[in-house]
Amino acid sequence: MLALAALGFVLGVMPSMAAAGRASRLVALDAGSGTLVPIPGTRGAFRLTLHDVRPTALAFDDRPGLEQGVITVERMLDGLFVEGQPGPNAAIDAIVGDGELELMGVKLERPRYDRATATLRFRVQRLRQERRLGVGTRTDTVLPRAFGRTALFVDNCCATRQSVTVFNTSPLSIQVSVNNGPFSAIQGAFPGAWTPQSATFPFSLAPQQPNVLAYGTNLVAIVPTGAIAPVTVAIAVPSALNVTSLQLYVSLDGSGGVEWVLLNGGVFVSGSTAPAARLLARAGSA
């Protein structure tokens, strides 16, 4: 008879990927054309409007990372513009005049995106040009009011890149595998103080891969101490979900059955209602 094992998966927002030793994530977005209109009375400030914006962008790791993936414009903006954090810097690479390319560095602020019209608007502030690096070059410029095809390269997109911490709140030690990856051992919670033990897994925008969770359906296998075979559950992270802080609680009951509930910022996403109530009650008592 297996003892009740309650697990808590927490996808926490990481405020600084550099501090966590993970690669930054950059983004490249295409548009068919654009306009740049000066804001009266504010030096170096403009209203940038991009037209025919593709609904998805390419997100890729800064070195030494090796991953890339597709990200929706909505999710990109959610990751770029976080309350209490400064807006990101970006390079606007646009075709102007007779097909020439010009670059302009800006700080992005106040995004407004209309998916129906494929239009993306920002308030932008021109970045200062370092005098020792290219004064008078094509990067030391202000784009014209109207320009053609455009690529927007943004620094550190989605700096809130998630990681997945698996907490074992049961006194029973377990082994956990994510998407057919290698098993990771997690000791049982310390008796008395009831301190959960944990292991950490990455969360990626790219498709599922061994040892990495992602949007879509993830296979999580759990082997409690004393069990012969793993119990595998399919955990879906909806692609349209604006992930803030996900919690996934999973338990094995006495008969070997599986109970689980997925929350986002404490709000129910999916799971079984009755088992969810028991799981959350147990997690709260821990």
Side-chain angles (χ1 to χ4, degrees):
M1 186 76 70
L2 293 175
L4 179 66
L7 314 177
F9 288 63
V10 179
L11 276 66
V13 172
M14 298 177 64
S16 172
M17 287 181 294
R22 298 190 57 82
S24 297
R25 176 142 286 209
L26 313 176
V27 68
L29 177 70
D30 290 335
S33 62
T35 59
L36 188 73
V37 179
I39 298 176
T42 308
R43 183 175 181 180
F46 304 84
R47 299 197 185 282
L48 171 66
T49 303
L50 300 177
H51 301 282
D52 298 323
V53 175
R54 293 191 180 185
T56 58
L58 173 67
F60 60 99
D61 284 348
D62 195 0
R63 59 182 177 183
L66 297 173
E67 294 182 2
Q68 66 173 342
V70 173
I71 183 172
T72 65
V73 173
E74 293 92 341
R75 192 180 299 155
M76 178 194 76
L77 295 176
D78 287 338
L80 285 171
F81 296 90
V82 179
E83 187 175 357
Q85 295 184 14
N89 294 334
I92 311 170
D93 192 4
I95 295 178
V96 301
D98 296 328
E100 294 185 358
L101 280 172
E102 286 192 3
L103 279 167
M104 180 178 176
V106 297
K107 177 183 178 181
L108 301 176
E109 300 173 336
R110 303 178 192 175
R112 287 188 298 152
Y113 176 56
D114 188 334
R115 189 181 183 93
T117 61
T119 303
L120 180 59
R121 295 181 172 88
F122 297 98
R123 183 188 188 277
V124 302
Q125 182 71 40
R126 184 188 180 195
L127 298 180
R128 293 190 299 270
Q129 182 79 9
E130 294 185 24
R131 295 201 168 275
R132 64 186 181 87
L133 294 176
V135 172
T137 68
R138 76 181 185 94
T139 62
D140 181 25
T141 186
V142 173
L143 295 174
R145 282 179 173 261
F147 42 87
R149 292 198 61 86
T150 308
L152 189 68
F153 298 94
V154 189
D155 78 329
N156 208 19
C157 172
C158 315
T160 57
R161 189 180 182 190
Q162 301 87 358
S163 64
V164 185
T165 304
V166 182
F167 293 99
N168 180 12
T169 64
S170 167
L172 194 65
S173 297
I174 59 172
Q175 298 272 340
V176 176
S177 168
V178 172
N179 291 323
N180 298 313
F183 278 89
S184 298
I186 306 177
Q187 297 300 312
F190 293 148
W194 204 257
T195 304
Q197 301 301 291
S198 64
T200 301
F201 296 87
F203 183 87
S204 173
L205 298 174
Q208 288 76 14
Q209 54 187 298
N211 213 40
V212 177
L213 278 87
Y215 287 101
T217 301
N218 301 272
L219 299 179
V220 179
I222 305 161
V223 185
T225 298
I228 299 175
V231 177
T232 301
V233 293
I235 305 298
V237 181
S239 60
L241 185 67
N242 178 20
V243 173
T244 56
S245 175
L246 282 176
Q247 301 86 37
L248 173 62
Y249 294 95
V250 181
S251 74
L252 302 173
D253 62 24
S255 63
V258 175
E259 299 175 349
W260 64 275
V261 59
L262 177 66
L263 308 178
N264 182 38
V267 178
F268 180 84
V269 176
S270 60
S272 303
T273 305
R278 293 197 295 272
L279 273 171
L280 294 177
R282 179 171 174 81
S285 66

